[in-house]
Amino acid sequence: MKNPLINWFESRLHLAEVIGPSMTHPVPRSAKWWYVFGSMTLVLFMCQVATGISLSLLYVPSAGQAFESLEYITFQAEMGWFLRALHVWGSHLMVAAMTIHMIQVFLFGAFKFPRELTWILGVLLFLCTIGMAFTGQVLRWDQDSYWGLSVGMSMAGRVPWIGPGLVHFVLGGAIIGGESLSRFFTLHVFVIPATLMGLIGLHLLLVIKKGINEKPTPGVLVEKSNYEEKYHDLVKKRGMPFFPNAAGRDMIACGITLGLVFFCAMMFGPAGPTGEPNPTYIQTAPRPDFYFQSAFAVLALLPPYMETFLILGFPILALSTLILLPFLSPGGEKHWRRRPMSVIFVISLMLILSTLTYLGYKSPWSPVMDAWSGIPTPIEYVKGRTPLELQGAIVIQNKQCRNCHMLDGRGGKRGPALDDVASRLNGDQLIRQVLQGGGNMPAYGKHLSPEEVSALAAFLQTMTNAWQHEPAAGYSTNPRPTQDPVPPILPNS
Ligand code: HEC
């Protein structure tokens, strides 16, 4: 080093000493294009940090102003729409690149000895990235994010024992409000990114220390006793320096990635905002971002008795399997051709996820908007009913409850079929469900007159599936009406 200034810093920092060897450390020659997805994810993360910081200059994290500030960024600030588009497409592509990276590592057996910890840190990075995607979607603070969050929270609320406490903790109150936005802002801007940066540092350190996985050969087994020795031999004899050989490929891939972000941002623009968040506004078809669509489809399609198990059990099961994977399969074959179960697993997972995403975009998440039109109420349900009850049948028809609820096997599938609802719920519970909604159902309190509510309640209480069941017993002060019922509870009382 000739430059005295550089020398001055170097003699204090010893950077070249530390970074030099890691830049030129030998990597297997077989590390080709399949190995670029990790770097792609990293460059996308840096891109997110840059666009995120710029956005935070204009975004106002307060429930009253967030939506307005978004509209300002999108429609008035110079190139603001483009900044938002870069940020959202960067996040989509980051999730995609990370997923491909994970699948590649899984199929190439790179998680096996001695890279277990690298894999586990990767799983944590995956969680943090998904966390960023979810919290970022909430910051959009529009109809999509409001409903996405409320569905997510009504799911979380069903976790036994800690459910309600958990919801309260996450939202900062009983309902989605200003405190919720502050919490998600803090998570999205400070807590998760800081964690991500720390984890990325460790992950990269391990990548350098433990080396890049050699391209697997069928029949070559990983054995703890001699793997590291063989690996060092391999990279010494037939390796290449990371810089410039392998790094060059990474840089090309990163350039393409950034180009793709620009292209998508230019072509498809930012996401939303899709209207001011308003819980009473039900003429809306909210959609979560695509990677959450499959999760919502599962929750919408499953029978309710499995939901709790799934909400609680599945994430724990999936996460512990991912973390334990390197210990479940620490050695042996690495090549995917000799690991058919792994290949089948990846293919089925992808098929399931894409089917669910497709279903999520189709019926279950959004109500079936034309389910009601022209489908008459089944004759048995209106035979011999009082005028009030018949009036209730008309309300069901007119208020499009069948967009989400089936009668006699016809209608939407988002909510439970109503044929025998009176054998599950008593009068009070029926009215409460209609007025306050809950569990993915919008609240109808402001959309129904008191007369409509009492007619509805009267009709719903006849729905016991042709009297096969006794009506639900309970603490109702308002037993099932026989003739002219007095309107039970007025919605504004
Ligand atoms: C956007 C879809 C949607 C619409 C529209 C809708 N519901 Fe629901 N409804 C649901 C969902 C989802 C549930 C399940 C809630 C839960 O699991 O807690 C539900 C539950 C119910 C229940 C309780 C059923 C049970 O067995 O627990 C009743 C009663 C009900 N809805 C009545 C109505 C009526 C009456 C209307 C029309 C005024 C209506 N719903 C409109 C989605 C909807």
Side-chain angles (χ1 to χ4, degrees):
M1 290 278 172
K2 291 275 152 55
N3 191 327
L5 192 64
I6 294 183
N7 271 342
W8 189 89
F9 276 107
E10 181 54 25
S11 59
R12 281 155 190 82
L13 280 171
H14 302 280
L15 265 188
E17 228 175 276
V18 178
I19 293 180
S22 40
M23 287 312 280
T24 54
H25 78 286
V27 297
R29 203 164 279 279
S30 52
K32 293 245 160 88
W33 288 104
W34 273 116
Y35 288 69
V36 299
F37 290 100
S39 316
M40 274 165 79
T41 315
L42 180 62
V43 83
L44 284 165
F45 174 69
M46 297 200 253
C47 177
Q48 290 305 90
V49 172
T51 50
I53 291 177
S54 320
L55 279 175
S56 73
L57 297 175
L58 292 172
Y59 180 77
V60 184
S62 100
Q65 285 161 292
F67 186 76
E68 265 170 51
S69 73
L70 267 185
E71 287 207 308
Y72 174 79
I73 300 175
T74 315
F75 300 114
Q76 281 172 312
E78 184 137 1
M79 293 299 273
W81 69 271
F82 191 59
L83 193 59
R84 287 198 56 227
L86 285 177
H87 200 62
V88 76
W89 283 101
S91 98
H92 289 349
L93 289 171
M94 187 173 164
V95 172
M98 182 187 57
T99 308
I100 300 176
H101 177 53
M102 259 182 119
I103 292 176
Q104 182 264 325
V105 164
F106 177 66
L107 287 181
F108 279 48
F111 59 86
K112 291 177 188 257
F113 178 86
R115 302 188 181 84
E116 299 95 335
L117 199 54
T118 325
W119 167 265
I120 292 173
L121 287 169
V123 173
L124 298 181
L125 282 169
F126 173 79
L127 285 183
C128 285
T129 308
I130 294 292
M132 285 304 274
F134 188 77
T135 51
Q137 183 184 309
V138 172
L139 294 193
R140 219 184 295 143
W141 210 241
D142 58 4
Q143 280 289 79
D144 282 4
S145 74
Y146 182 89
W147 283 101
L149 189 57
S150 52
V151 173
M153 287 301 116
S154 65
M155 299 295 166
R158 291 179 205 188
V159 176
W161 306 304
I162 59 162
L166 184 71
V167 172
H168 198 98
F169 177 71
V170 174
L171 294 184
I175 53 160
I176 301 173
E179 292 86 353
S180 327
L181 184 59
S182 309
R183 282 180 190 220
F184 280 92
F185 184 75
T186 309
L187 283 174
H188 189 79
V189 175
F190 301 110
V191 182
I192 309 181
T195 316
L196 261 173
M197 286 181 197
L199 289 172
I200 289 175
L202 280 177
H203 193 68
L204 291 184
L205 180 73
L206 284 182
V207 168
I208 291 169
K209 289 283 172 214
K210 288 290 149 197
I212 298 173
N213 187 34
E214 77 285 358
K215 194 171 174 217
T217 321
V220 176
L221 304 184
V222 176
E223 275 156 45
K224 279 191 187 169
S225 52
N226 63 4
Y227 176 81
E228 293 202 90
E229 213 175 297
K230 269 165 64 184
Y231 180 81
H232 284 297
D233 250 24
L234 177 87
V235 290
K236 224 187 202 163
K237 281 203 206 109
R238 311 207 304 111
M240 56 183 179
F242 172 70
F243 193 85
N245 301 39
R249 212 172 272 130
D250 279 344
M251 280 176 203
I252 295 174
C254 292
I256 294 175
T257 311
L258 289 181
L260 205 60
V261 176
F262 269 76
F263 176 78
C264 290
M266 200 85 99
M267 292 301 291
F268 307 115
T274 57
E276 215 159 337
N278 182 347
T280 59
Y281 183 65
I282 56 158
Q283 265 75 28
T284 180
R287 302 213 167 280
D289 284 347
F290 76 92
Y291 24 80
F292 299 119
Q293 199 80 53
S294 49
F296 282 120
V298 169
L299 297 169
L301 279 173
L302 273 186
Y305 65 88
M306 280 184 73
E307 268 181 9
T308 304
F309 160 75
L310 207 89
I311 295 160
L312 199 64
F314 184 75
I316 294 178
L317 192 74
L319 194 65
S320 33
T321 314
L322 277 178
I323 289 184
L324 290 178
L325 178 70
F327 306 104
L328 297 174
S329 168
E333 286 282 357
K334 264 190 184 174
H335 199 278
W336 54 268
R337 262 192 226 148
R338 298 283 172 96
R339 292 163 53 223
M341 284 315 287
S342 305
V343 178
I344 293 173
F345 173 76
V346 169
I347 294 177
S348 1
L349 189 70
M350 287 298 124
L351 280 178
I352 291 172
L353 283 182
S354 36
T355 314
L356 284 175
T357 307
Y358 171 76
L359 287 176
Y361 275 108
K362 282 201 60 171
S363 49
W365 167 255
S366 68
V368 183
M369 281 310 177
D370 54 359
W372 65 281
S373 52
I375 308 178
T377 306
I379 300 275
E380 320 77 87
Y381 295 157
V382 288
K383 241 192 244 164
R385 298 290 190 265
T386 66
L388 187 70
E389 288 163 354
L390 290 178
Q391 202 60 39
I394 294 174
V395 175
I396 294 240
Q397 212 69 351
N398 286 346
K399 291 292 169 182
Q400 310 183 2
C401 307
R402 285 177 85 180
N403 286 347
C404 294
H405 292 287
M406 286 201 276
L407 281 186
D408 202 23
R410 296 171 76 188
K413 293 198 190 94
R414 177 123 174 244
L418 291 182
D419 303 83
D420 56 350
V421 64
S423 57
R424 291 193 294 274
L425 303 178
N426 66 30
D428 289 347
Q429 290 166 324
L430 286 171
I431 290 170
R432 190 176 315 120
Q433 177 72 29
V434 172
L435 294 185
Q436 302 180 352
N440 304 355
M441 174 165 151
Y444 275 87
K446 293 199 179 144
H447 299 272
L448 294 171
S449 67
E451 294 76 25
E452 285 172 320
V453 173
S454 43
L456 204 53
F459 177 65
L460 286 174
Q461 283 175 79
T462 67
M463 310 284 281
T464 52
N465 217 356
W467 312 103
Q468 279 171 2
H469 310 279
E470 277 298 299
Y475 47 82
S476 177
T477 51
N478 154 44
R480 196 188 152 271
T482 39
Q483 296 144 6
D484 279 356
V486 184
I489 303 174
L490 295 180
N492 49 1
S493 68

